[in-house]
Amino acid sequence: MTAAYDVIVLGLGAMGSSAAYQLAKRGVRVLGIEQFAPAHELGSSGGLSRIIRLAYFEHPDYVPMLKAAWALWPQIEAEAATDLLKVTGGLYVGREGSAVLDGSRRSALEHGLAHEVLNVDEMRVRFPQLVLDDDMAALHEPLAGALFPEKCIAAHLSLAQQHGATLNFGERVSAWSSDGGGVSVTTDKGTYAGAKLVIAAGAWLPALAPNLDLPLTVERNSLYWYEPAATPEIFEAERFPVWIMELNGEHAFYGFPRLPNQGVKVARHHGGGTVDANMVDRSASDEDERPVRDFISRYMPALNGRRLDSRVCMYTNTSDFNFILDFHPEADNVVIASPCSGHGFKFSSVIGSIVADLATTGRTHFEIEFLSVGRFFAGLGESANRHI
């Protein structure tokens, strides 16, 4: 079968939409296939806002990618003529020894990032929105803020089409194959041929790569927006940054200032139940909300007012909570660009660029060995991916 497309992208959420845009911008013939509607909220990218930050507590090796993402987002805003990012600064709160505080400080120091560490007394003066325990401290960085995920995905999709990409929505993939010289993708509407394949299916990755038996779990998490019970002015973006607070190794929460046409968003980071991606309860219950309501009543009492809205999203977690960004170990013309363990959206601008590099040149200058498929399987060696 003659390849009708240079690259076929499966999944047009955060990573797939960006990959389609970056590929099409380079003149590549792109077909994107998405089982749902454009910029839908059935995966991991809904919820009106996502944090972007640089002092990355998860792993300092993410920071170079984050710097590149920060450079790309304003370019995408300008090309799409829409606002995608609000800079607010960021606060990362915990006790000495906590992953959030110590990890953020490690990344900031290792990469020379602008930051300051605030003790509890300084925090109480500067950020009274958070009522901290006496043994807590925080790292504050000026370069952090909120991305608007649905708008970001819509921008990537629109720009991909403007650059010539073909995007099919409401089309479900049933199978794909690679013979080394090309790929074939079968859907409920037809069969397509391409030279390369990108799988960016998030929570649906296991169904599209069943032979890999990847160590993935899909986690249901709920998000909430509140009306402040007192002093609402202190929650405006000019006075309150995005934030993450770790109470202990199993309990961390995060949130945002009041953003346009929204309340003040608060959510628990991890802690949700394991689900099937095709059978997710999309309604947040009182039981779902209880940990968040308990948190704000103790640590953000001025916010403990009426709940304005709630949403449900999915985290697709690897066993080490780092991403998968690599070639398929059995097909070097297939790139896997998911899942992202609940912290990936901010990277989507640069991951699209990295995917385009891998699909067109077979390599990237970013250090991405720690995101390899091979780390899960000793028989695959240290890494299946490539860099220069």
Side-chain angles (χ1 to χ4, degrees), residues 16-138:
S17 65
S18 178
Y21 160 62
Q22 291 287 347
L23 286 161
K25 191 174 183 179
R26 300 181 191 194
V28 174
R29 294 174 299 164
V30 178
L31 170 64
I33 302 174
E34 168 59 53
Q35 63 179 323
F36 301 118
H40 64 84
E41 293 193 12
L42 299 176
S44 301
S45 299
L48 303 180
S49 56
R50 287 290 185 274
I51 290 175
I52 182 167
R53 50 195 165 93
L54 279 177
Y56 216 63
F57 69 83
E58 289 86 346
H59 199 300
D61 285 357
Y62 283 110
V63 175
M65 287 189 285
L66 282 166
K67 289 181 175 179
W70 269 103
L72 281 169
W73 283 118
Q75 296 176 28
I76 297 163
E77 281 188 314
E79 189 173 352
T82 187
D83 293 332
L84 304 177
L85 169 65
K86 172 70 174 178
V87 178
T88 65
L91 277 174
Y92 318 124
V93 183
R95 297 174 174 85
E96 291 295 333
S98 67
V100 167
L101 182 60
D102 285 13
S104 298
R105 183 162 47 203
R106 176 189 173 193
S107 285
L109 293 173
E110 187 169 319
H111 291 279
L113 304 176
H115 73 285
E116 56 183 327
V117 177
L118 306 175
N119 64 35
V120 68
D121 292 327
E122 292 168 321
M123 280 291 296
R124 286 167 177 164
V125 172
R126 289 180 55 179
F127 300 105
Q129 303 90 343
L130 299 171
V131 178
L132 305 188
D133 296 329
D134 289 342
D135 58 350
M136 286 180 166

Side-chain angles (χ1 to χ4, degrees), residues 334-355:
V334 178
V335 178
I336 299 175
S338 58
C340 291
S341 298
H343 62 106
F345 189 90
K346 61 187 75 65
F347 293 88
S348 57
S349 61
V350 70
I351 285 182
S353 181
I354 293 171
V355 167

Side-chain angles (χ1 to χ4, degrees), residues 147-325:
L147 289 163
F148 307 120
E150 293 89 350
K151 293 178 66 177
C152 292
I153 293 172
H156 277 141
L157 294 175
S158 176
L159 293 173
Q161 290 176 312
Q162 290 177 36
H163 287 287
T166 299
L167 305 181
N168 294 355
F169 297 95
E171 188 166 353
R172 188 179 297 272
V173 174
S174 57
W176 65 268
S177 63
S178 168
D179 63 7
V183 299
S184 176
V185 175
T186 300
T187 76
D188 55 0
K189 295 184 179 179
T191 300
Y192 307 93
K196 305 286 182 66
L197 182 68
V198 173
I199 304 176
W204 290 271
L205 173 61
L208 292 177
N211 57 319
L212 292 184
D213 193 25
L214 294 166
L216 306 178
T217 57
V218 179
E219 179 183 341
R220 174 184 176 275
N221 288 287
S222 51
L223 321 169
Y224 301 91
W225 288 259
Y226 295 96
E227 181 179 59
T231 57
E233 66 278 2
I234 69 173
F235 294 100
E236 298 299 324
E238 292 70 28
R239 299 180 61 180
F240 191 37
V242 298
W243 57 272
I244 304 168
M245 184 188 295
E246 181 180 345
L247 303 184
N248 55 51
E250 296 183 357
H251 296 88
F253 295 81
Y254 67 93
F256 299 76
R258 188 201 302 270
L259 296 171
N261 304 312
Q262 303 179 34
V264 181
K265 182 179 175 182
V266 181
R268 184 177 176 179
H269 187 46
H270 292 294
T274 300
V275 296
D276 181 322
N278 295 307
M279 301 176 63
V280 180
D281 182 353
R282 300 286 172 181
S283 300
S285 67
D286 291 344
E287 183 178 353
D288 292 329
E289 186 188 12
R290 188 169 298 113
V292 176
R293 183 66 80 168
D294 289 347
F295 171 82
I296 62 174
S297 67
R298 167 62 185 85
Y299 292 99
M300 302 180 71
L303 183 60
N304 197 17
R306 181 169 62 97
R307 188 178 94 185
L308 300 174
D309 196 4
S310 64
R311 307 284 175 90
V312 168
C313 74
M314 292 185 291
Y315 290 6
T316 307
N317 301 315
T318 64
S319 54
D320 62 7
F321 295 95
N322 291 317
F323 307 165
I324 296 175
L325 182 56

